[in-house]
């Protein structure tokens, strides 16, 4: 972080002798003299007065000595701080958060088991819900995030991460607030007759595919595919078209222009913690603590709680 010749220069100045400095530096006095000569040439300054009675710093040498000592102190402080920051980074869990995958339920779990992780801190990392980019975010587990929490029933997600299911989040129907069904407390399948229902296209989610199988038995219900993964634009489209949207109880507050209504069916998606395929020891230990000790609260929105049933 500085010219290494300064170390020899300061040692000579502190010792008052080339010979004594050589002993302290474990090199020959000739080597010390060559280093000082090299430093003086590099700086184009005379640093020592050489007399028959010994050596002493010149006026220029005194200035260089004073700043060199400050540089040594700053260098030591920088290295100490860097090591502290490295240790802190090794004791930090990074938790992803987005509109559809908020980290609040994770925080509820963390405060139940954090006493087993003294010195650890949480760092919240925001990311965008983008259906075209979500697989990149899932693949970033272990790099960008240590944990994500949310609903997971995607075959593509589960090839990129591990998943600890904590409960099951019921699938519901979201309707625009102006829709005639918006005032109902609960829907029946026949309430969907004559309606266009948006849901994830077939092939990635076994749970959604089972729901689609049931809905396809009723020709009175018109089904429209959404992208494989939801983002806020899917909810915007529901509002703009007046269609109904298969959603989750835990997304009840995602869009203020939609009302989320439970349906008389038995379809729910696993909800839990996502983490990397090959987790480090502390991540694996946290997962085991949650599995065996934590009580998972239902991840409902502020306006409506889910009937999420704990499985840990």
């Amino acid at each position: 972080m500085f010219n290494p010749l300064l170390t020899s220069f300061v040692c000579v100045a502190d010792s008052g002798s080339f010979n004594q400095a050589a002993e302290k530096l474990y090199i020959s006095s000739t080597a010390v003299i060559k280093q000082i000569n090299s430093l003086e040439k590099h700086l184009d300054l005379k640093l020592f007065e050489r007399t028959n009675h010994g050596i002493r710093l010149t006026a220029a040498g005194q200035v260089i000595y004073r700043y060199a000592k400050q540089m040594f102190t700053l260098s030591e402080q920088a290295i100490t701080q860097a090591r502290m920051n490295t240790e802190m980074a090794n004791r930090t869990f990074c938790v992803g958060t987005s509109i559809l995958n908020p980290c609040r339920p994770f925080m509820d779990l963390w405060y139940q088991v954090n006493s087993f992780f003294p010195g650890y801190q949480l760092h919240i990392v925001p990311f965008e819900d983008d259906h075209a980019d979500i697989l990149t975010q899932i693949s970033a587990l272990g790099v960008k995030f240590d944990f994500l929490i949310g609903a997971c029933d995607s075959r593509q997600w589960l090839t990129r991460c591990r998943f600890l299911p904590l409960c099951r989040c019921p699938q519901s129907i979201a309707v625009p607030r102006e829709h005639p069904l918006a005032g109902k407390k609960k829907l029946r399948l026949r309430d969907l007759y004559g309606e266009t229902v948006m849901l994830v296209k077939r092939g990635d989610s076994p749970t959604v595919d089972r729901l689609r199988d049931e809905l396809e038995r009723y020709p009175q219900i018109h089904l429209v595919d959404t992208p494989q993964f939801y983002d806020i634009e899917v909810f915007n489209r529901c509002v703009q078209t007046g269609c109904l949207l298969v959603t989750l109880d835990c997304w009840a507050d995602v869009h203020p222009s939609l009302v989320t209504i439970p349906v008389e069916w038995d379809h729910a998606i696993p909800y839990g913690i996502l983490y990397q395929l090959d987790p480090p020891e502390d991540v694996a230990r946290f997962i085991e603590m949650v599995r065996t000790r934590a009580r998972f609260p239902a991840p409902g929105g502020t306006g409506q709680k889910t009937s999420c049933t704990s499985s840990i």
Side-chain angles (χ1 to χ4, degrees):
M1 299 182 70
F2 49 81
N3 191 321
L5 296 177
L6 288 175
T7 301
S8 296
F9 164 72
V10 169
C11 188
V12 170
D14 288 340
S15 302
S17 163
F18 290 120
N19 290 334
Q20 291 183 31
E23 292 179 4
K24 294 178 180 178
L25 295 169
Y26 300 101
I27 58 177
S28 69
S29 57
T30 301
V32 172
I33 293 171
K34 285 184 178 179
Q35 289 181 358
I36 298 303
N37 290 340
S38 178
L39 181 60
E40 289 180 327
K41 182 178 180 180
H42 174 71
L43 298 176
D44 194 22
L45 292 170
K46 186 175 183 180
L47 303 176
F48 290 103
E49 292 285 357
R50 297 161 174 84
T51 71
N52 293 332
H53 303 290
I55 60 173
R56 66 174 183 270
L57 289 169
T58 63
Q62 292 175 18
V63 173
I64 298 299
Y65 176 83
R66 185 168 66 251
Y67 279 96
K69 295 287 279 187
Q70 292 178 11
M71 290 173 63
F72 290 175
T73 300
L74 288 173
S75 179
E76 291 173 359
Q77 291 175 351
I79 292 170
T80 299
Q81 185 64 51
R83 286 173 176 162
M84 289 175 60
N85 285 2
T86 298
E87 183 177 351
M88 183 176 295
N90 291 335
R91 288 178 169 267
T92 299
F93 285 141
C94 293
V95 185
T97 191
S98 69
I99 293 176
L100 296 183
N101 300 277
C103 66
R104 175 59 186 270
F106 182 94
M107 304 297 290
D108 294 335
L109 291 169
W110 169 250
Y111 289 116
Q112 295 181 54
V113 300
N114 65 340
S115 61
F116 295 96
F117 297 86
Y120 273 74
Q121 297 180 346
L122 295 186
H123 180 65
I124 307 304
V125 182
F127 68 97
E128 293 294 327
D129 295 303
D130 181 347
H131 75 269
D133 187 56
I134 189 62
L135 291 178
T136 301
Q137 302 296 342
I138 300 301
S139 298
L141 281 160
V143 180
K144 183 177 179 181
F145 324 104
D146 292 304
F147 304 104
L148 296 174
I149 189 164
C152 179
D153 189 46
S154 164
R155 293 186 177 95
Q156 295 182 72
W157 285 26
L158 293 172
T159 63
R160 291 166 170 80
C161 68
R162 291 192 181 191
F163 179 61
L164 173 64
L166 300 170
C167 68
R168 296 183 65 82
C169 192
Q171 291 180 281
S172 300
I173 291 289
V175 304
R177 290 189 179 275
E178 297 82 7
H179 195 282
L181 295 176
K184 286 186 171 289
K185 298 297 183 182
K186 197 164 191 176
L187 298 177
R188 294 172 295 180
L189 278 174
R190 63 168 161 261
D191 292 323
L192 307 183
Y193 289 0
E195 301 289 346
T196 297
V197 178
M198 301 163 55
L199 76 166
V200 170
K201 61 183 179 181
R202 184 183 294 278
D204 186 59
S205 167
T207 302
V208 175
D209 288 352
R210 286 192 293 271
L211 172 57
R212 179 183 284 271
D213 289 340
E214 180 173 351
L215 293 176
E216 285 179 348
R217 295 203 297 268
Y218 301 91
Q220 304 93 327
I221 303 173
H222 178 57
L223 302 182
V224 174
D225 289 345
T226 69
Q228 201 78 73
F229 310 111
Y230 281 9
D231 56 22
I232 194 64
E233 287 307 314
V234 172
F235 294 86
N236 284 335
R237 181 180 164 196
C238 176
V239 174
Q240 292 159 5
T241 61
C243 296
L244 310 187
L245 176 68
V246 173
T247 186
L248 299 176
D249 277 10
C250 58
W251 293 340
D253 296 329
V254 164
H255 201 297
S257 296
L258 294 174
V259 177
T260 298
I261 309 172
V263 187
E264 290 182 350
W265 59 34
D266 186 22
H267 297 283
I269 287 182
Y271 189 100
I273 301 175
L274 296 86
Y275 57 106
Q276 71 188 87
L277 290 170
D278 185 21
E281 184 277 333
D282 55 352
V283 169
R285 185 159 55 91
F286 174 83
I287 290 295
E288 186 58 26
M289 287 290 179
V290 171
R291 189 196 311 273
T292 59
R293 295 175 181 269
R295 182 177 182 276
F296 185 60
T302 56
Q304 179 179 355
K305 269 204 166 186
T306 73
S307 55
C308 198
T309 302
S310 177
S311 62
I312 58 174

